[in-house]
């Protein structure tokens, strides 16, 4: 699953760019999901008591599902980390509107050069939104895409440059590639490194929780592997080569 973020100030064209990408990628036959970051502090799906999910929540239910004829909303009572949210997606592409805490390439939307300069980090690779309505070419070495005139050009670009999100480990936990996860995301976004350069890409030891692999830095992979091997070697039937699976329920 590849993802790309669209980041910018309010009314700078984030939603226009995000929906243009969703439509363009769907037209090309991809399975597309999206995440919309809501910045309003008091936002809630069920603001009044007309929908009884609010009463479930007030009673203390820790995971409430609103199930209707056309939509189902699973309401977690907290802001989930992006890595956890993305486990729900098995799409070809996920568009992350307004999401800043995910190590993927970013498209900046802005009104002017000052806003672009404020938002550029190593992961930004293109500019679009309101600024692109009156500007073209490049800025800060990033191509400018006007999705109102030529959305397909941005879809081509995203198709080529989006990559599977990197983890968000602290540098203390992992810097096996020689960079932080965020720096590495910038290197991949600018095609100075490949997604395979993250050592977790081909994780040799996997820990699967409810069908989903949990990311582990190499140090933790080795601890787990050595612990399991220490037990398995003492058992009858142990072989030097093969695949070991351990399953248990919590
Ligand atoms: S190897 Fe992967 S997980 Fe480790 S710091 Fe680099 S990008 Fe992050």
């Amino acid at each position: 699953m590849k993802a790309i973020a669209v980041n910018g100030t309010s009314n700078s064209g984030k939603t226009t760019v995000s929906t243009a990408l969703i439509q363009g990628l769907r037209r090309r036959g991809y399975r597309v999901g999206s995440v919309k970051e809501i910045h309003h502090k008091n936002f809630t799906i069920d603001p009044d008591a007309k929908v009884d999910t609010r009463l479930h929540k007030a009673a203390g239910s820790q995971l409430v599902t609103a199930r209707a004829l056309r939509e189902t909303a699973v309401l977690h009572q907290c802001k989930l980390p992006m890595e956890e949210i993305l486990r729900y997606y098995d799409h070809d592409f996920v568009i992350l509107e307004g999401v800043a805490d995910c190590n993927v390439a970013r498209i900046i939307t802005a009104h002017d050069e000052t806003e672009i300069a404020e938002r550029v980090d190593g992961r930004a690779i293109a500019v679009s939104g309101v600024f692109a309505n009156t500007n073209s070419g490049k800025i800060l070495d990033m191509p400018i895409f006007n999705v109102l005139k030529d959305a397909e050009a941005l879809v081509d670009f995203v198709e080529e440059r989006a990559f599977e999100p990197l983890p968000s480990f602290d540098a203390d936990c992992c810097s096996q590639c020689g960079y932080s996860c965020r720096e590495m995301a910038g290197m991949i976004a600018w095609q100075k490194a490949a997604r395979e350069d993250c050592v977790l890409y081909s994780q040799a030891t996997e820990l699967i929780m409810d069908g989903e692999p949990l990311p582990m830095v190499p140090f933790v992979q080795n601890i787990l592997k050595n612990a399991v091997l220490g037990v398995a070697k003492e058992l009858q039937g142990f072989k030097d080569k093969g695949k070991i699976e351990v399953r248990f329920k919590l």
Side-chain angles (χ1 to χ4, degrees):
M1 179 198 69
K2 296 177 177 179
I4 192 144
V6 180
N7 298 113
T9 52
S10 190
N11 297 320
S12 62
K14 290 193 295 293
T15 305
T16 303
V17 171
S18 298
T19 52
L21 282 174
I22 293 166
Q23 287 168 349
L25 290 165
R26 291 282 284 126
R27 263 197 305 274
R28 293 181 188 193
Y30 291 111
R31 298 169 65 242
V32 183
S34 63
V35 177
K36 163 85 180 151
E37 183 90 42
I38 309 283
H39 295 287
H40 302 291
K41 215 169 95 192
N42 296 322
F43 174 85
T44 173
I45 297 280
D46 49 359
D48 56 42
K50 283 183 202 142
V51 183
D52 290 343
T53 52
R54 192 157 183 77
L55 299 180
H56 287 219
K57 196 172 9 179
S61 174
Q62 291 166 303
L63 186 64
V64 181
T65 297
R67 187 171 178 236
L69 272 181
R70 293 171 195 273
E71 283 188 332
T72 301
V74 181
L75 306 174
H76 296 259
Q77 309 304 311
C78 62
K79 181 171 182 168
L80 291 183
M82 275 312 299
E83 282 179 6
E84 207 171 321
I85 292 170
L86 291 176
R87 283 189 205 131
Y88 290 95
Y89 290 81
D90 64 349
H91 299 72
D92 300 312
F93 288 90
V94 180
I95 310 302
L96 308 174
E97 183 187 334
V99 175
D101 59 340
C102 190
N103 282 321
V104 293
R106 308 169 71 195
I107 299 162
I108 304 289
T109 60
H111 296 92
D112 52 41
E113 292 186 28
T114 309
E115 286 184 5
I116 295 168
E118 281 168 2
R119 274 167 179 74
V120 162
D121 65 7
R123 300 168 298 176
I125 53 169
V127 171
S128 189
V130 174
F131 182 80
N133 295 346
T134 49
N135 293 277
S136 58
K138 285 190 170 189
I139 180 165
L140 301 176
D141 221 19
M142 296 182 288
I144 300 169
F145 292 98
N146 182 340
V147 293
L148 301 179
K149 284 191 178 156
D150 186 8
E152 292 304 305
L154 182 59
V155 179
D156 286 341
F157 187 76
V158 166
E159 208 177 15
E160 188 198 330
R161 302 285 285 273
F163 56 87
E164 183 189 334
L166 286 177
S168 304
F169 289 126
D170 288 338
D172 293 349
C173 290
C174 184
S175 52
Q176 293 277 318
C177 57
Y179 303 92
S180 67
C181 296
R182 185 172 171 152
E183 287 167 341
M184 190 58 172
M187 305 265 294
I188 299 169
W190 281 90
Q191 299 184 313
K192 292 174 182 163
R195 182 61 181 80
E196 295 80 359
D197 292 336
C198 167
V199 298
L200 301 193
Y201 187 79
S202 52
Q203 197 164 304
T205 302
E206 286 187 305
L207 179 63
I208 312 292
M209 178 94 198
D210 289 339
E212 292 292 332
L214 300 181
M216 289 183 292
V217 296
F219 173 66
V220 178
Q221 288 183 40
N222 285 337
I223 291 177
L224 182 63
K225 184 177 173 183
N226 291 336
V228 172
L229 270 180
V231 174
K233 275 179 179 169
E234 301 302 321
L235 302 175
Q236 210 176 3
F238 175 79
K239 298 176 199 158
D240 280 342
K241 286 190 179 163
K243 186 176 164 190
I244 296 180
E245 289 182 62
V246 181
R247 297 167 198 238
F248 58 86
K249 287 184 182 172
L250 296 178

